[in-house]
Amino acid sequence: TEIYTLSLHDALPIFSILQLEDYLKAGNIAGEVRENVRKTDWIGSTLAEICDYVESEIIKRGAKCAFPVNTSMNEIAAHYTAEPNDPKTVSDTDLVKIDLGAQINGYIADTAVTVNYDPQYDQMVQTAEDALQNAMSMIKAGVKSKDVGRTIQKTIQDMGFKPIANLSGHSLDQYTIHAGKTVPNMWTIGSFSFSENEAYACEPFVTTKNALGFVRNGKIKNIFALVSRKKTKDDEADRLTDYIWNNFNMLPFALRWLLKEWEEKEARRLLEILVKKKVVHAYAILVEANGKTVAQAEHTFIPTQSGATVTTMG
């Protein structure tokens, strides 16, 4: 099985040319930005500065952000994005998962890298990358998801670490990040076969041997997504609903993305109304249950008969 670049001709029966072009362009942009993130020294930078940089680089290259950049530090595995002017600063002992997404016409590329400046975490970070590479190397149309999960699990455990059992990759669809299928990081009983007519994200999460190997919800919720367009009987809250729909569709967004239009205090008030009325969902941060450090790596891919087209190679 090989990882290779798909030509438009190869995929004509599966995706329309426009769909495929959008997936490939989004992937190229996301991969390029991820590699720039990997090469940058972020020590002393705030999480707000990282988010601003990454999101502006995606936009500068002609895509939109598929979701707010996740800057999840240490035991936070996922779903933390910067608050407006977030003062949290990266030190040389922090492990930061930078998970970013680009979209073209709603077709998404989702990718992540763990930045690390502390040698004690080098092997954990490399294990996440190795698990991802081993998964990509075995994927083609017809391969079962549980077998990919087994490969990821074995790679991680062979290196003396633990996979996060209740975090997984996912199928992708237009304007939909989690489109119903999960790409497991462990061997599972339930399974599906990878299909040529879908895009997927694979994202191994690695933690220490003495970790619980599960994540729990934390108290912070600073990533949101529209789940309904029902009226709230509050005109300004309804205007925010329309703004979210027109700018982000059903994709996740951050409070700081609303500040061109509303003052922060008012945006928070309106979001609270929309969350309470179940118009907007608020995502909790995900924290390793024993408080242990977590590393992550991620690619988006499209299976073919002979391999995986990794759109986010960069």
Side-chain angles (χ1 to χ4, degrees):
T1 302
E2 59 179 338
I3 300 172
Y4 68 100
T5 302
L6 192 67
S7 75
L8 294 180
H9 176 73
D10 290 334
L12 270 175
I14 304 154
F15 290 113
S16 75
I17 286 181
L18 290 178
Q19 275 179 295
L20 186 64
E21 280 182 339
D22 289 344
Y23 269 125
L24 295 177
K25 185 178 179 187
N28 186 55
I29 289 168
E32 191 176 298
V33 174
R34 183 200 63 239
E35 289 309 300
N36 287 345
V37 166
R38 192 194 303 272
K39 291 181 284 196
T40 301
D41 181 353
W42 296 107
I43 295 171
S45 297
T46 65
L47 298 188
E49 287 169 339
I50 295 174
C51 288
D52 288 346
Y53 167 81
V54 174
E55 290 168 3
S56 66
E57 288 295 302
I58 289 169
I59 293 163
K60 191 164 79 178
R61 286 166 170 76
K64 292 182 178 178
C65 297
F67 51 85
V69 175
N70 287 211
T71 48
S72 305
M73 293 172 70
N74 304 323
E75 75 281 3
I76 301 173
H79 292 178
Y80 185 92
T81 195
E83 294 285 353
N85 305 308
D86 199 318
K88 289 186 185 65
T89 303
V90 178
S91 78
D92 60 4
T93 58
D94 289 320
L95 202 65
V96 191
K97 283 75 65 187
I98 300 179
D99 191 336
L100 60 101
Q103 59 102 346
I104 306 281
N105 297 317
Y107 295 104
I108 297 163
D110 186 357
T111 189
V113 63
T114 301
V115 295
N116 162 51
Y117 310 99
D118 189 335
Q120 71 170 311
Y121 298 128
D122 284 351
Q123 197 170 28
M124 186 194 293
V125 173
Q126 188 58 50
T127 297
E129 295 285 347
D130 289 349
L132 179 60
Q133 179 63 31
N134 289 348
M136 292 299 96
S137 295
M138 68 176 292
I139 285 170
K140 60 182 178 181
V143 167
K144 291 191 182 307
S145 60
K146 67 181 179 182
D147 292 331
V148 173
R150 181 191 282 117
T151 293
I152 291 170
Q153 180 178 2
K154 185 177 187 308
T155 303
I156 293 169
Q157 290 176 341
D158 283 355
M159 293 302 295
F161 296 101
K162 223 180 229 185
I164 300 282
N166 62 339
L167 284 178
S168 62
H170 43 91
S171 54
L172 298 159
D173 205 347
Q174 189 178 24
Y175 292 110
T176 308
I177 288 180
H178 293 263
K181 294 178 182 175
T182 60
V183 182
N185 293 322
M186 306 268 290
W187 184 85
T188 57
I189 295 172
S191 190
F192 69 90
S193 296
F194 287 100
S195 165
E196 286 183 279
N197 62 355
E198 280 189 300
Y200 305 86
C202 179
E203 47 184 328
F205 287 85
V206 180
T207 188
T208 58
K209 208 168 189 175
N210 59 345
L212 198 62
F214 288 84
V215 289
R216 58 172 175 78
N217 286 346
K219 291 179 180 175
I220 297 168
K221 296 180 179 181
N222 61 11
I223 295 177
F224 307 89
L226 196 65
V227 291
S228 164
R229 295 185 68 194
K230 67 184 180 186
K231 298 297 183 186
T232 64
K233 298 181 181 174
D234 181 305
D235 289 346
E236 196 63 11
D238 292 343
R239 187 166 84 85
L240 176 53
T241 300
D242 290 341
Y243 181 88
I244 295 166
W245 172 254
N246 290 331
N247 287 277
F248 318 126
N249 199 285
M250 306 294 278
L251 292 171
F253 64 92
L255 172 73
R256 52 195 163 74
W257 290 5
L258 307 178
L259 302 187
K260 291 177 185 172
E261 196 71 21
W262 287 273
E263 293 290 330
E264 184 179 335
K265 188 176 176 183
E266 177 68 353
R268 286 188 188 276
R269 184 186 77 82
L270 295 172
L271 267 180
E272 280 179 23
I273 293 170
L274 295 183
V275 170
K276 192 174 180 182
K277 298 280 188 180
K278 295 185 166 51
V279 173
V280 162
H281 175 72
Y283 293 88
I285 61 168
L286 300 173
V287 183
E288 204 288 315
N290 269 358
K292 301 302 181 184
T293 305
V294 179
Q296 174 199 15
E298 181 178 19
H299 273 313
T300 294
F301 66 92
I302 299 169
T304 73
Q305 289 298 323
S306 56
T309 301
V310 180
T311 68
T312 51
M313 283 299 281

